[in-house]
Amino acid sequence: MNITPKTTVHTLLKEYPFLLDFLAGYNPEFGKLTNPVLRRTMGRMATLEKAAALADVPLNQLMTDVAAEVERRTGANPGVADNAASGGIDPERLEALKQIIKDLHAGHPMTELTQRFGELIEDVEASEIAAMEQQLIVEGMPESEVKRLCDVHVQVFSGALEDHEKVKTPAGHPIDTFQRENEAVLQITNSLRKVAGAVRAPGDPMSAWPTLKTPLTKTLERLREFEIHYVRKENQLFPYLENHDVEGPSKVMWALHDDVRAALKDALRYAADDNAEQAALSSEWLAQTVDDMVTKEEKILFPMAMEMLSTDEWVAIREGEGDVGYAYIADVAQWPSRTEQAQPAQAAAAVSGGLLGLTTGALTLEQINLMLSTLPFDLSFVDENDEVRYYSEGERVFPRSPGVIGRKVQNCHPPRSLDKVQEIIDAYRAGAKNTADFWIQAHGRFLHIRYYAVRDASGAYRGTLESVQDVTAIRALEGERRLVDW
């Protein structure tokens, strides 16, 4: 086995039991490993990276010394993988995990794969599962295929991760809020499953339908509120993971979010059309898919995020949550506490003289912000590097939060629409097109969406401006109004 920063003490001692005495004598902090209880708990979760920090010894020195001891005792050098080469993941285990998923894709018997997986489950880490998903995508497996496997591998992995402790954070921390929402939605999916099961009880489903239609519909409507949970993940948490080059798991999860959204619409439509059997079947699938996503969040996403993101990043995520809102909970605690508040984000650069010279005229920064926020439509700007640089405040048609700033625009859209977004950007960059228009109907409103190529004086592409306007009232106008009529 290669020794990497993410190799756990448990893995080392399982492979090389003689290292227990070596580590105990290497540093006083490691002497705790001689305690069987601590070895089964701390050792199982502690990586060499964490152990080095705990003992205040250089990580590379610790890995090198451990490898030298193994070679002295066995005659074989296990090899040491540096941080850059390993990406912080045990390469051998990552390859084994990837192969299991590939074999699932190829249709190998589940019993065979479960047995193979059993050799890895004792100390599997959330970050390794996330790295596996991302690596499959990097190596060419379509995101849709990785998504299709989720309903299978989440069941396999959830059992392996069952013994891992739940991530614990202070009240008001973004993870604590996500977890509270998950607890609430699990109660709703449990109710949905019971009502759907009653509809599908032996006999004619239509016989019980008159009494079960309303409870089923109300439960589905209650589940709809969980959409806010997904939007907050997509707009607040995912951008920060992407800053750490973790994109694969986010893309797979977003695609699954869209599946849930589509299934919820289908179930409500079936119920409205009195298609009892299909309404119940869709509801049961929906409940299971939402439950599986909770497992994936609790056992994979949240531990990985806690390991990767800094306190400052979590504070920034918390600050932007209010722009999206919360599902099922209204009493989100202050975090960090007012006495622990981090320094606010750097304010906008002061403008010399108070005015910014524009092509025609000059305005203060405050005036520009007020003007843009007062426009009767949403504006968003993506620069020539495909990074989101601005969105207007005010009453928005589509939700936005500060976490989107600096994010690649390709990561701000669901996978199913990514090809259209890329087509527009490519056409603008090539100079082939300058505008693109769309109009849709949503929640009883008629929305007009326009994309404009932004070019400098020489005609070079400098970005894309998006405007979204609710034109429902405009389309209904008739005749003329030439005087003020308030």
Side-chain angles (χ1 to χ4, degrees):
M1 62 174 288
N2 280 344
I3 296 176
T4 77
K6 293 299 180 181
T7 300
T8 63
V9 173
H10 174 80
T11 299
L12 275 178
L13 297 182
K14 182 179 178 182
E15 185 75 13
Y16 309 113
F18 55 81
L19 285 177
L20 178 59
D21 292 335
F22 170 77
L23 290 172
Y26 187 85
N27 186 283
E29 282 293 333
F30 298 154
K32 299 175 182 177
L33 293 172
T34 57
N35 183 319
V37 175
L38 288 177
R39 192 162 66 247
R40 285 195 299 271
T41 54
M42 181 183 72
R44 184 178 296 277
M45 299 300 297
T47 62
L48 286 180
E49 185 176 38
K50 293 177 181 176
L54 181 66
D56 195 22
V57 298
L59 172 61
N60 288 336
Q61 185 63 51
L62 174 61
M63 292 193 299
T64 300
D65 290 345
V66 168
E69 177 66 11
V70 171
E71 184 174 20
R72 186 182 73 83
R73 295 288 298 267
T74 68
N77 190 324
V80 174
D82 63 28
N83 278 304
S86 70
I89 302 298
D90 186 329
E92 292 183 359
R93 176 155 50 198
L94 176 59
E95 191 58 39
L97 289 170
K98 283 162 47 184
Q99 190 58 50
I100 288 175
I101 293 298
K102 289 179 179 178
D103 289 346
L104 279 170
H105 175 68
H108 284 223
M110 181 61 70
T111 52
E112 170 203 329
L113 298 178
T114 302
Q115 182 177 356
R116 286 166 47 194
F117 189 73
E119 300 174 2
L120 299 172
I121 64 174
E122 290 187 338
D123 52 1
V124 66
E125 295 184 18
S127 57
E128 293 177 89
I129 297 174
M132 170 207 65
E133 288 185 342
Q134 178 147 329
Q135 194 61 33
L136 286 172
I137 293 173
V138 170
E139 292 177 358
M141 181 177 286
E143 294 164 21
S144 58
E145 289 299 304
V146 179
K147 184 195 75 172
R148 191 172 65 84
L149 297 173
C150 276
D151 60 343
V152 179
H153 79 242
V154 74
Q155 297 176 32
V156 178
F157 289 140
S158 63
L161 296 165
E162 197 62 42
D163 293 335
H164 284 200
E165 288 189 13
K166 182 178 180 179
V167 172
K168 296 180 180 178
T169 56
H173 187 287
I175 292 297
D176 176 69
T177 304
F178 278 129
Q179 290 173 330
R180 290 177 62 197
E181 290 175 333
N182 280 341
E183 290 172 1
V185 83
L186 288 176
Q187 296 181 32
I188 295 169
T189 55
N190 185 51
S191 297
L192 182 61
R193 195 176 285 107
K194 289 180 179 178
V195 178
V199 174
R200 298 187 63 232
D204 180 8
M206 292 306 298
S207 62
W209 181 243
T211 58
L212 295 175
K213 177 179 178 178
T214 297
L216 183 70
T217 301
K218 286 185 176 180
T219 308
L220 288 170
E221 290 288 356
R222 184 71 171 137
L223 184 61
R224 190 200 291 274
E225 187 178 333
F226 201 55
E227 160 75 3
I228 300 174
H229 178 98
Y230 290 158
V231 170
R232 215 169 63 252
K233 277 172 61 183
E234 294 162 354
N235 290 278
Q236 287 295 106
L237 181 55
F238 288 174
Y240 287 89
L241 293 176
E242 290 160 11
N243 289 340
H244 291 265
D245 298 320
V246 177
E247 297 183 3
S250 302
K251 291 178 179 178
V252 171
M253 278 194 172
W254 198 332
L256 287 168
H257 295 171
D258 284 348
D259 285 348
V260 169
R261 290 165 175 140
L264 182 55
K265 289 181 180 178
D266 288 343
L268 285 167
R269 186 180 71 253
Y270 289 135
D273 293 343
D274 290 323
N275 188 336
E277 183 72 15
Q278 281 301 121
L281 287 171
S282 294
S283 296
E284 288 177 340
W285 183 91
L286 186 61
Q288 187 59 53
T289 303
V290 171
D291 286 359
D292 286 347
M293 179 59 72
V294 169
T295 298
K296 197 169 179 64
E297 288 180 7
E298 299 280 347
K299 302 298 185 179
I300 301 176
L301 180 67
F302 296 161
M304 176 187 67
M306 285 300 296
E307 184 176 323
M308 288 187 169
L309 303 186
S310 67
T311 299
D312 287 345
E313 288 173 309
W314 284 117
V315 170
I317 291 172
R318 176 68 177 87
E319 289 175 349
E321 286 183 344
D323 293 320
V324 178
Y326 304 98
Y328 310 125
I329 56 177
D331 56 337
V332 179
Q334 176 72 36
W335 181 86
S337 65
R338 299 193 186 282
T339 57
E340 299 172 329
Q341 280 284 7
Q343 292 297 318
Q346 184 178 1
V351 181
S352 177
L355 291 176
L356 290 173
L358 305 175
T359 304
T360 55
L363 296 169
T364 66
L365 183 60
E366 180 187 19
Q367 289 170 336
I368 292 173
N369 273 319
L370 290 172
M371 182 180 69
L372 291 172
S373 298
T374 306
L375 290 173
F377 44 80
D378 298 344
L379 288 178
S380 299
F381 178 69
V382 177
D383 68 13
E384 64 268 34
N385 298 314
D386 297 348
E387 294 180 353
V388 179
R389 289 299 170 196
Y390 171 81
Y391 66 85
S392 59
E393 296 286 352
E395 185 175 347
R396 298 193 55 84
V397 175
F398 298 125
R400 296 281 190 277
S401 68
V404 76
I405 301 301
R407 192 181 191 189
K408 288 289 186 182
V409 68
Q410 290 85 351
N411 292 329
C412 296
H413 292 267
R416 57 185 169 78
S417 63
L418 181 57
D419 57 336
K420 299 181 182 67
V421 174
Q422 194 63 54
E423 179 183 354
I424 293 172
I425 292 175
D426 290 343
Y428 288 178
R429 184 171 279 118
K433 298 288 184 181
N434 284 306
T435 61
D437 289 70
F438 302 89
W439 46 93
I440 62 174
Q441 298 186 55
H443 307 300
R445 298 183 295 173
F446 194 94
L447 307 179
H448 187 208
I449 305 166
R450 304 195 77 185
Y451 296 92
Y452 306 84
V454 177
R455 305 189 185 280
D456 61 21
S458 67
Y461 174 73
R462 299 300 300 274
T464 297
L465 181 67
E466 176 197 40
S467 70
V468 182
Q469 186 174 11
D470 181 356
V471 296
T472 308
I474 295 174
R475 294 180 79 230
L477 291 177
E478 295 180 353
E480 295 181 342
R481 176 186 288 178
R482 293 178 177 268
L483 299 173
V484 173
D485 182 8
W486 289 343

